Amino acid sequence: MTDGDMNRPANTGPSVLPAQRTSENSFAGLGGVSSPDTAADEFSPRTALPSVEVPTRTAPAPAPDVTDAPGEPLPRKRRVGGEGYFKAVTTVGGSAVLAIIAAIALFLIVEAIPSLRANKENFFSYLKWNPNPLDDAHFGIASLAFGTVLSAAIALLVAVPIALGIALYLSHYANKRVATILGFAVDLLAAVPSVVFGLWGREYFAGPVTDFSVWLNKYLGWIPLFSSETGFGHSVLLGSLVLAIMILPIVTSLSREVFMQTPREHEEAAMALGATKWEVIRTAVLPYGRPGIVASVMLGLGRALGETIALAMTLGSSFLISWSVVEPGGNTIAANIANSFGEANQQGRSALIASGLVLFAITLIVNMSARAIVRRRKKFLAAAAT
Amino acid sequence: MAKRIEADNVTAYYGNFRAIDSVSMVIERKSVTALIGPSGCGKSTFLRSINRMHEVIPGARVEGSINVDGHNVYDKDVDVTAVRRMIGMVFQRPNPFPTMSIFDNVVAGLKLQGVRRKGELQVAAEKALRGANLWEEVKDRLDKPGAGLSGGQQQRLCIARAIAVEPQVVLMDEPCSALDPISTLAIEDLIGELKDSYTIVIVTHNMQQAARVSDKTAFFSLEKTGEPGRLVEYDDTQKIFTNPSEKRTEDYITGRFG
């Protein structure tokens, strides 16, 4: 019996709540009366459910002057007011997003068409980028798209484990003061402008990365990624590492937020089973945070795919599909737009816009597949609701 | 399978606040002991001290000793995770792991101990679910999420999860306070069965529940807010509810106080 049963509406006359198990004795309950002398020796807590005495109460009689005639009408619905205005504002905001996206897509498509018509090569398979000659345009997206995806993938591969490690350290291991200071430092990293990252990567970070590339090539050169025929320098590896540093803060702070929101009761459930700290993280924190981790990684990936100036400054601007990440070279769609825009004529700019359209599509596909991953997870959880 | 618990001068703190003051009591093997008392009297704190779950709250600590079959769980070189495996716990709100299936929930503790063989896990899961009176209700949907069960089923799932690792003692912190009367009855019946194998300590606000399920009852109370909770009276349940020796116990169970 729960407390609620004791507060049932008043019955008329004395009564006894039905006992689930046979019992002859009554004894102290929440609202009952202590009667230590009543059948104490027969009392057995295992089988006896105490009957509860309900004090005599009489239901109030209806007031004599009450008629069945309808009373005051209920207040009418308000037609205009703050409610309506606010709804309008939010609706306009929501639709504006759709309108802007449609406008961008339309702009990209319309502007790209002239150059694509003039192109003498297959846009999707050709490697080089030479769109400016009016009657002799040769350009394709293949090497740029490859470079974009490759550098973003390597950046994610490097950044995500480190970012998740930092996030877990901040949320579960570090004491409050260290966590505050470190969290602030991570946020500071996000505040560095990308052009500064580009300068730093090109002028300073290139040195250590070149040394590291030489080392990689010496010991792991048999892996195509680390083979080199043309030496080392401003390579995909350099660009990707700079990119990794740039997406580190966003992945870290988002996943940290998610980890901190893990319900205490889930962590305690794991602890009560004898889980160590790492095991608590594995059984309670990471599964709970998975959709959030995916979302933060996708935001990081979005930034990596679109990053322009830092990569334009650190990559070697080649137009090859090469798996080697240590050779000087590499290029991305965004970096190529930054590098080629200055010398592009009208047709060249149209070609660059066509490449922008491809970048737009890549980002869209990445985002949609991420959502699909999260949704598959949700399906399992949604089954819980049925 | 069941162990005896001796608490000796257990004092627990949250930071500088003393929540319970020198509680000493002996809990016998294969018995059900109910801890009752007004809110804030420290009964949950005491319960959580037994399996060292009190100290997971930042700033919380325990003084004194709790001996399980003569070994102090607060000894410096005791592995705290081993203590918690030996002394299982069921919480106030059912807390199955939300991303896990019913099966994975039950065997979560075994997996933590490194049991990997599918057959062994299946045998253990069925045994634990039968032990928690849940097997018949879930045997056809073991791969469905544990969070999809009703509240009472979830709580029995949590009990199955706790007993799957074959602990010596099961602690229950108001296990029925979030459940309806029928689920409550199911859990109470289950407690009666579990008592054959385990030592059980249960915190409850419902005195009739304490009367129904427990062999011994401990009444905790506090002088006033801000004061630490103390153990007022600890005796056979029958005695506590029919002829308590302390005036304060009688006042509490007759509803004149608290």
Side-chain angles (χ1 to χ4, degrees):
Chain A
M1 287 278 174
T2 61
D3 299 359
D5 291 311
M6 253 61 72
N7 304 327
R8 293 215 317 195
N11 296 332
T12 43
S15 78
V16 160
L17 287 181
Q20 270 130 333
R21 284 168 260 192
T22 47
S23 153
E24 288 127 328
N25 49 3
S26 78
F27 77 105
L30 279 175
V33 182
S34 172
S35 45
D37 51 342
T38 322
D41 45 347
E42 289 166 32
F43 171 65
S44 148
R46 174 77 40 244
T47 55
L49 180 79
S51 325
V52 177
E53 284 178 21
V54 177
T56 312
R57 261 169 279 176
T58 11
D65 58 336
V66 169
T67 62
D68 287 340
E72 289 280 305
L74 295 171
R76 294 182 66 84
K77 207 198 275 184
R78 268 180 302 180
R79 295 264 168 241
V80 279
E83 245 354 90
Y85 296 131
F86 190 70
K87 185 181 170 190
V89 168
T90 52
T91 312
V92 167
S95 346
V97 173
L98 285 179
I100 291 168
I101 288 179
I104 291 174
L106 199 71
F107 162 82
L108 290 177
I109 292 168
V110 169
E111 293 289 308
I113 286 173
S115 66
L116 291 176
R117 284 231 177 94
N119 194 1
K120 295 231 159 49
E121 306 287 344
N122 183 333
F123 179 66
F124 291 105
S125 62
Y126 192 64
L127 300 179
K128 299 274 187 292
W129 193 261
N130 193 13
N132 288 329
L134 285 180
D135 299 321
D136 196 28
H138 297 266
F139 62 93
I141 199 74
S143 67
L144 294 175
F146 175 82
T148 303
V149 174
L150 181 66
S151 56
I154 295 173
L156 274 191
L157 225 57
V158 175
V160 169
I162 298 173
L164 294 185
I166 298 173
L168 281 174
Y169 177 73
L170 292 178
S171 65
H172 282 81
Y173 286 92
N175 68 37
K176 232 181 189 157
R177 265 187 47 198
V178 175
T180 314
I181 295 167
L182 258 179
F184 181 70
V186 169
D187 288 343
L188 210 63
L189 203 58
V192 178
S194 58
V195 67
V196 174
F197 272 116
L199 273 174
W200 173 77
R202 185 184 181 85
E203 300 304 325
Y204 168 75
F205 198 41
V209 171
T210 304
D211 296 343
F212 180 55
S213 302
V214 172
W215 181 87
L216 276 176
N217 179 259
K218 189 171 166 195
Y219 294 102
L220 297 167
W222 48 273
I223 302 173
L225 281 177
F226 306 125
S227 65
S228 169
E229 283 155 17
T230 55
F232 311 93
H234 290 126
S235 60
V236 172
L237 186 64
L238 174 63
S240 301
L241 290 180
V242 171
L243 212 47
I245 297 169
M246 294 174 72
I247 63 175
L248 199 64
I250 193 166
V251 181
T252 303
S253 46
L254 264 171
S255 39
R256 176 196 183 194
E257 281 310 306
V258 176
F259 293 152
M260 301 237 286
Q261 281 168 15
T262 313
R264 178 109 204 120
E265 57 202 65
H266 297 158
E267 292 186 36
E268 290 200 342
M271 275 187 256
L273 287 171
T276 59
K277 194 132 205 171
W278 161 236
E279 287 166 341
V280 169
I281 289 170
R282 224 179 46 196
T283 43
V285 180
L286 290 181
Y288 175 83
R290 213 168 94 158
I293 297 171
V294 173
S296 71
V297 169
M298 284 310 131
L299 269 175
L301 182 56
R303 168 129 202 229
L305 288 172
E307 177 49 44
T308 306
I309 199 66
L311 285 176
M313 292 167 86
T314 49
L315 291 179
S317 299
S318 67
F319 290 93
L320 295 166
I321 290 187
S322 162
W323 283 101
S324 169
V325 299
V326 293
E327 278 175 3
N331 212 339
T332 71
I333 296 174
N336 180 56
I337 293 176
N339 283 334
S340 316
F341 193 79
E343 65 215 39
N345 58 19
Q346 197 180 357
Q347 182 174 295
R349 283 204 291 277
S350 165
L352 290 175
I353 287 170
S355 75
L357 189 61
V358 173
L359 183 58
F360 188 64
I362 293 176
T363 323
L364 210 64
I365 291 168
V366 163
N367 260 310
M368 274 159 56
S369 38
R371 274 170 196 277
I373 295 171
V374 176
R375 199 178 308 124
R376 218 175 40 203
R377 193 73 190 164
K378 268 205 191 120
K379 239 188 217 164
F380 179 85
L381 296 176
T386 56
Chain B
M1 275 276 281
K3 292 204 169 176
R4 182 169 190 263
I5 302 165
E6 284 169 71
D8 190 22
N9 273 316
V10 174
T11 301
Y13 297 85
Y14 294 95
N16 291 324
F17 173 69
R18 200 171 351 141
I20 50 171
D21 186 32
S22 8
V23 173
S24 300
M25 62 193 281
V26 174
I27 296 165
E28 289 301 337
R29 285 185 189 86
K30 297 192 180 179
S31 68
V32 178
T33 303
L35 311 181
I36 61 168
S39 297
C41 69
K43 53 195 188 306
S44 286
T45 305
F46 176 70
L47 188 82
R48 290 168 65 95
S49 313
I50 297 177
N51 68 340
R52 295 189 61 172
M53 281 295 287
H54 174 64
E55 68 203 43
V56 307
I57 296 158
R61 65 201 161 85
V62 173
E63 286 169 6
S65 68
I66 289 179
N67 292 294
V68 176
D69 273 7
H71 300 288
N72 185 4
V73 299
Y74 282 99
D75 261 347
K76 273 204 183 65
D77 49 357
V78 164
D79 176 7
V80 60
T81 62
V83 170
R84 293 185 191 141
R85 278 202 296 271
M86 184 175 71
I87 307 175
M89 189 163 202
V90 176
F91 295 83
Q92 181 170 2
R93 274 178 49 195
N95 55 356
F97 296 118
T99 53
M100 289 188 196
S101 67
I102 294 171
F103 180 83
D104 287 337
N105 260 292
V106 178
V107 299
L110 290 169
K111 279 190 174 168
L112 286 177
Q113 290 176 27
V115 181
R116 285 280 173 275
R117 272 201 308 278
K118 188 92 182 155
E120 198 176 327
L121 290 176
Q122 272 165 346
V123 170
E126 180 173 345
K127 188 177 167 207
L129 284 168
R130 280 189 193 282
N133 282 342
L134 192 60
W135 175 251
E136 291 302 325
E137 289 158 65
V138 301
K139 64 181 177 191
D140 300 323
R141 44 173 174 154
L142 291 174
D143 57 337
K144 296 286 189 304
L149 299 173
S150 75
Q153 288 173 326
Q154 285 189 27
Q155 194 61 299
R156 277 180 284 153
L157 178 62
C158 293
I159 293 175
R161 183 176 66 188
I163 62 178
V165 293
E166 310 206 323
Q168 320 279 334
V169 178
V170 178
L171 308 178
M172 299 186 173
D173 190 357
E174 297 184 46
C176 302
S177 64
L179 305 182
D180 66 87
I182 295 179
S183 307
T184 300
L185 205 64
I187 303 268
E188 286 181 9
D189 287 340
L190 177 58
I191 291 171
E193 292 167 27
L194 291 176
K195 177 183 130 165
D196 296 337
S197 323
Y198 307 97
T199 305
I200 292 172
V201 187
I202 176 171
V203 167
T204 178
H205 268 297
N206 183 335
M207 282 179 283
Q208 300 184 333
Q209 180 171 66
R212 285 194 293 267
V213 302
S214 71
D215 303 307
K216 295 193 106 182
T217 297
F219 172 61
F220 285 71
S221 192
L222 73 174
E223 299 290 323
K224 60 176 196 285
T225 316
E227 293 280 305
R230 289 194 173 85
L231 177 61
V232 175
E233 188 171 358
Y234 176 48
D235 213 326
D236 289 346
T237 297
Q238 182 183 338
K239 176 128 191 315
I240 292 270
F241 281 96
T242 53
N243 190 18
S245 350
E246 290 276 336
K247 177 84 170 64
R248 277 193 290 167
T249 314
E250 185 175 329
D251 285 351
Y252 181 71
I253 60 174
T254 55
R256 278 198 284 271
F257 150 74

